[in-house]
Amino acid sequence: MKIGILGSGLMGGKLGTLFARAGHDVTFSYARSDAKLKRLARQAGAKARAGTPAEAAKNADAVLLAVHWSRVADVLKQAGDLTAKIVITCSLPMNDDDSELVVGRTSSGAEELAKLLPKSPVVSAFGTVPSEVLFSVFEARRRKTRPSLVYCGDDAGAKRRVAGLIRDLGFEPVDAGPLRMARNAEPFTLLIAQLAYETKGGPELAYRFERFR
Ligand SMILES: NC(=O)c1ccc[n+]([C@@H]2O[C@H](COP(=O)([O-])OP(=O)(O)OC[C@H]3O[C@@H](n4cnc5c(N)ncnc54)[C@H](OP(=O)(O)O)[C@@H]3O)[C@@H](O)[C@H]2O)c1
């Protein structure tokens, strides 16, 4: 797939690098320095380049939105027309000091984003794990047992393609249903963050759902 990265920080930088290593065409955009975007592209290999948000979005099949909630309007404005492009969001609707969700229970960041982008299928994915675990999960992708990764959205075709990306990165995709399930997935991430950053063992944490029959 051709994937535009909108926000090339901890999440966008790592996810973009791994998408490129998995064989996708990736354009990194939206950081405070062009040198950083170029360095990320160089390190991600031949499938990656650096560009503006508009360049990242232009020929993309999908864009990954990976910015702080306060930057969403700005990056979308810079990206321009996203009609019919899959919008994958890992962004959480956090307040300025990242201590609380500013949207919840009756809506979610993903649903608010979908309201801003009525012509784009929005899929919520990748936002339920810490960035620190992404490379390790990718390296372990040939193991029989994979960690889970929940995703949700309202467009079946877009969800199929995002499930493929989730698999490419070494996770087992778990379809959580419609986009409104992001109301549950987003606060779940705060639990994951508590375990990752506030308990012993470190932030290289993923999760796995198992069914016992
Ligand atoms: N980090 C995690 O483990 C994690 C896990 C789950 C979900 N999330 C969510 O994912 C989203 C991204 O998180 P993150 O940790 O990747 O954030 P981050 O590291 O701060 O990355 C945000 C990106 O936006 C860029 N940016 C910020 N202000 C800008 C401006 N004025 N102009 C241009 N670029 C600007 C940053 O530039 P610079 O590169 O120059 O800083 C950076 O590339 C957030 O919504 C977060 O809640 C994060």
Side-chain angles (χ1 to χ4, degrees):
M1 283 175 82
K2 290 190 171 60
I3 305 171
I5 305 296
L6 303 176
S8 297
L10 291 171
M11 289 299 275
K14 288 178 187 158
L15 288 168
T17 298
L18 296 175
F19 290 146
R21 290 198 189 149
H24 300 283
D25 282 315
V26 169
T27 303
F28 290 100
S29 78
Y30 205 72
R32 278 164 286 209
S33 102
D34 287 345
K36 177 183 179 180
L37 296 174
K38 286 184 184 137
R39 189 181 66 242
L40 272 172
R42 210 169 40 246
Q43 288 170 351
K47 290 284 198 177
R49 66 195 63 79
T52 63
E55 286 164 349
K58 190 161 185 278
N59 296 314
D61 305 303
V63 296
L64 172 75
L65 185 74
V67 294
H68 191 269
W69 193 240
S70 59
R71 306 306 311 172
V72 169
D74 183 54
V75 77
L76 290 182
K77 187 165 159 243
Q78 291 193 37
D81 187 14
L82 295 174
T83 299
K85 295 179 195 298
I86 300 169
V87 176
I88 306 165
T89 180
C90 70
S91 299
L92 295 171
M94 301 302 291
N95 61 1
D96 284 348
D97 68 7
D98 280 323
S99 58
E100 277 179 56
L101 292 166
V102 293
V103 180
R105 291 209 291 263
T106 55
S107 185
S108 59
E111 290 164 278
E112 294 306 304
L113 184 65
K115 283 183 205 158
L116 295 174
L117 300 169
K119 295 177 181 160
S120 310
V122 173
V123 180
S124 170
F126 299 110
T128 51
V129 286
S131 70
E132 287 86 347
V133 83
L134 294 168
F135 278 87
S136 304
V137 170
F138 184 71
E139 272 147 34
R141 68 195 177 284
R142 292 200 173 78
R143 282 192 207 158
K144 208 171 144 208
T145 306
R146 290 177 157 215
S148 309
L149 193 90
V150 291
Y151 67 106
C152 60
D154 295 331
D155 182 296
K159 284 175 73 176
R160 254 194 310 278
R161 299 193 77 183
V162 174
L165 292 176
I166 292 171
R167 227 171 261 120
D168 288 345
L169 263 55
F171 293 91
E172 186 59 40
V174 176
D175 185 349
L179 197 64
R180 68 189 298 279
M181 280 297 126
R183 292 173 198 188
N184 304 320
E186 289 171 2
F188 169 69
T189 303
L190 302 197
L191 171 70
I192 295 289
Q194 170 72 15
L195 297 176
Y197 302 117
E198 306 297 337
T199 65
K200 283 188 191 150
E204 289 199 4
L205 177 76
Y207 55 90
R208 181 174 161 75
F209 298 121
E210 293 195 49
R211 282 211 161 78
F212 291 81
R213 303 173 213 264

